[in-house]
């Protein structure tokens, strides 16, 4: 059976239009070796593993007081920044897009963007350089500068295996749930790939058979082994054989309970580009948070292609 979390992104207007192939999820990495050197290192790690709030995470930064980059996240003008924004927004209001659509002139939208802006410009959690970084460049920065915490995808274990930045440092990376707002709930973005069969295909049966093959236990396990993407079949998370073979499944089952999806909208790709453009400007302090949200909302409402 296919997991509900994987199937959610396969529906359009209540009709199943695709089959899930695999999944990824936003997560926080930390340098275990660096934290263990601290006076209360073990306590800090336990606090991180137990779902820390953003409010306590900021306090932790002040307690540690090291020159190392504290929290690195990709904040360039691109989809990754939108992923981070959406997971924090849905932490505050899980049904945000159902109730507000793409109107970002709300208290929840403002609080979310203000958090990202303050990380860089007020709380000194995050270096300003991240406004130019996507996933790969933020990972390299984090490793090369001995960062403590990093936003990334659960697939990073394999993403950088064949092109490592520094193996000696990377072996000390550990995973933990992302922080969340104190008055919200834990939330982390789900990603991955779905597959469809073209209605114009004259090989629909063969294509359907291939999809069944991709969703078999063996294929799904191969995806997990080779790319670290989540399998989309329920059996993988409950079968004692898999649980024993892959101890990390326990963490992934916990994380999946906090998973959230990007809004399902035919114009999402266009809207996401508008969002990342204005959110990046706000983080760079080129415009205020309220200006960014106002301009973003208006640009989406007017369906603008040229942004200023």
């Amino acid at each position: 059976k296919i997991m509900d979390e994987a199937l959610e992104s396969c529906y359009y207007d209540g009709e199943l239009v695709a089959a899930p192939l695999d999944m990824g999820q936003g997560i926080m990495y930390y340098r275990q070796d660096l934290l263990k050197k601290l006076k209360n290192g073990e306590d800090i790690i336990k606090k991180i593993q137990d779902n820390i709030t953003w409010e306590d995470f900021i306090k932790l930064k002040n307690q540690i007081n090291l020159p190392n980059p504290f929290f690195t996240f990709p904040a360039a003008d691109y989809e990754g920044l939108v992923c981070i924004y959406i997971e924090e927004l849905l932490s505050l209001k899980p049904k945000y897009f159902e109730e507000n659509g793409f109107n970002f002139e709300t208290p929840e939208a403002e609080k979310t963007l203000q958090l990202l802006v303050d990380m860089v410009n007020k709380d000194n959690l995050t270096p300003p350089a991240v406004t130019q970084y996507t996933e790969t460049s933020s990972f390299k920065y984090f490793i090369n500068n001995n960062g403590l915490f990093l936003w990334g995808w659960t697939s990073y274990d394999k993403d950088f295996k064949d092109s490592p930045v520094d193996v000696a440092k990377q072996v000390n990376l550990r995973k933990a749930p992302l922080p969340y707002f104190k008055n919200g709930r834990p939330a982390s973005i789900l990603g991955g790939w779905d597959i469809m069969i073209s209605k114009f295909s004259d090989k629909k049966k063969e294509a359907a058979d291939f999809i069944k093959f991709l969703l078999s236990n063996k294929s799904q396990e191969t995806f997990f082994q080779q790319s670290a993407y989540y399998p989309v079949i329920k059996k993988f998370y409950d079968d004692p054989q898999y649980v024993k073979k892959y101890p990390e499944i326990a963490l992934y089952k916990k994380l999946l309970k906090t998973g959230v999806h990007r809004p399902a909208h035919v114009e999402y790709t266009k809207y996401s580009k508008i969002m990342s453009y204005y959110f990046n400007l706000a983080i760079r302090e080129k415009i205020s948070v309220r200006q960014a949200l106002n301009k973003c909302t208006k640009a989406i409402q007017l369906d603008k292609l040229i942004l200023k």
Side-chain angles (χ1 to χ4, degrees):
K1 293 184 178 180
I2 304 298
M3 299 171 62
D4 293 338
E5 295 90 343
L7 279 171
E8 186 175 332
S9 65
C10 296
Y11 283 89
Y12 178 70
D13 281 348
E15 185 176 341
L16 186 68
V17 296
L21 179 63
D22 55 40
M23 289 193 300
Q25 190 168 8
I27 199 173
M28 184 162 73
Y29 288 86
Y30 62 90
R31 281 281 300 275
Q32 178 179 247
D33 57 328
L34 297 180
L35 293 184
K36 281 190 172 182
K37 290 179 182 178
L38 301 175
K39 183 179 178 181
N40 299 315
E42 295 291 351
D43 291 337
I44 291 172
I45 291 174
K46 185 178 185 305
K47 189 178 293 187
I48 293 297
Q49 292 286 2
D50 288 343
N51 273 114
I52 193 170
T53 64
W54 282 116
E55 291 82 356
D56 287 339
F57 191 62
I58 293 169
K59 290 179 183 176
L60 181 62
K61 193 271 178 188
N62 296 326
Q63 292 169 10
I64 291 178
N65 195 29
L66 289 175
N68 310 52
F70 188 75
F71 180 66
T72 303
F73 70 92
D77 172 10
Y78 88 118
E79 173 66 11
L81 173 57
V82 176
C83 287
I84 296 167
Y85 179 84
I86 287 177
E87 65 190 358
E88 299 311 325
L89 181 60
L90 297 184
S91 165
L92 286 173
K93 195 170 185 178
K95 298 292 184 181
Y96 187 91
F97 290 98
E98 290 90 331
E99 297 174 13
N100 299 93
F102 286 85
N103 171 25
F104 296 105
E105 295 188 278
T106 66
E108 297 86 2
E110 182 175 342
K111 182 172 183 176
T112 300
L113 185 55
Q114 192 67 60
L115 170 73
L116 302 182
V117 170
D118 287 348
M119 281 185 194
V120 175
N121 300 290
K122 176 187 172 186
D123 300 316
N124 295 317
L125 259 70
T126 304
V130 300
T131 57
Q132 307 298 320
Y133 293 162
T134 60
E135 281 100 334
T136 300
S137 47
S138 66
F139 181 84
K140 289 180 178 179
Y141 178 89
F142 167 79
I143 294 295
N144 288 332
N145 291 277
N146 291 313
L148 298 178
F149 301 97
L150 169 75
W151 186 96
W153 295 100
T154 45
S155 60
Y156 274 14
D157 286 353
K158 301 295 173 67
D159 290 343
F160 299 98
K161 185 176 180 180
D162 295 327
S163 55
V165 180
D166 188 322
V167 174
K169 295 178 181 179
Q170 286 172 221
V171 296
N172 286 294
L173 290 183
R174 298 294 182 271
K175 298 173 182 176
L178 285 160
Y180 66 101
F181 284 113
K182 183 169 60 177
N183 61 334
R185 68 172 194 176
S188 58
I189 204 80
L190 291 170
W193 299 95
D194 299 332
I195 40 182
M196 305 174 74
I197 300 174
S198 170
K199 67 178 181 180
F200 302 108
S201 172
D202 59 357
K203 296 290 189 294
K204 291 185 176 66
K205 181 185 180 302
E206 292 83 353
D209 288 341
F210 182 60
I211 290 176
K212 290 177 184 177
F213 166 74
L214 294 175
L215 294 177
S216 67
N217 294 343
K218 183 61 178 177
S219 294
Q220 288 289 299
E221 184 177 9
T222 299
F223 285 132
F224 183 70
Q225 289 176 330
Q226 299 298 320
S227 65
Y229 286 118
Y230 289 177
V232 297
I233 52 176
K234 292 181 179 180
K235 182 179 180 180
F236 193 87
Y237 301 87
D238 299 320
D239 190 317
Q241 172 190 345
Y242 292 127
V243 173
K244 181 179 180 181
K245 189 174 181 179
Y246 304 107
E248 60 268 38
I249 289 177
L251 172 61
Y252 295 156
K253 284 184 70 173
K254 177 183 176 182
L255 289 172
L256 278 167
K257 294 177 182 178
T258 71
V260 294
H261 287 275
R262 282 161 275 189
H265 193 284
V266 292
E267 297 290 357
Y268 174 76
T269 302
K270 184 192 298 183
Y271 294 171
S272 173
K273 180 57 184 172
I274 294 172
M275 292 162 66
S276 68
Y277 175 79
Y278 286 113
F279 295 171
N280 174 267
L281 285 180
I283 296 172
R284 290 163 53 205
E285 292 195 310
K286 299 297 184 182
I287 57 177
S288 71
V289 166
R290 288 191 176 181
Q291 284 177 320
L293 297 173
N294 173 266
K295 287 177 177 290
C296 176
T297 300
K298 286 184 176 178
I300 289 175
Q301 290 173 345
L302 297 172
D303 206 20
K304 281 190 175 181
L305 296 177
I306 301 175
L307 305 176
K308 294 182 180 179

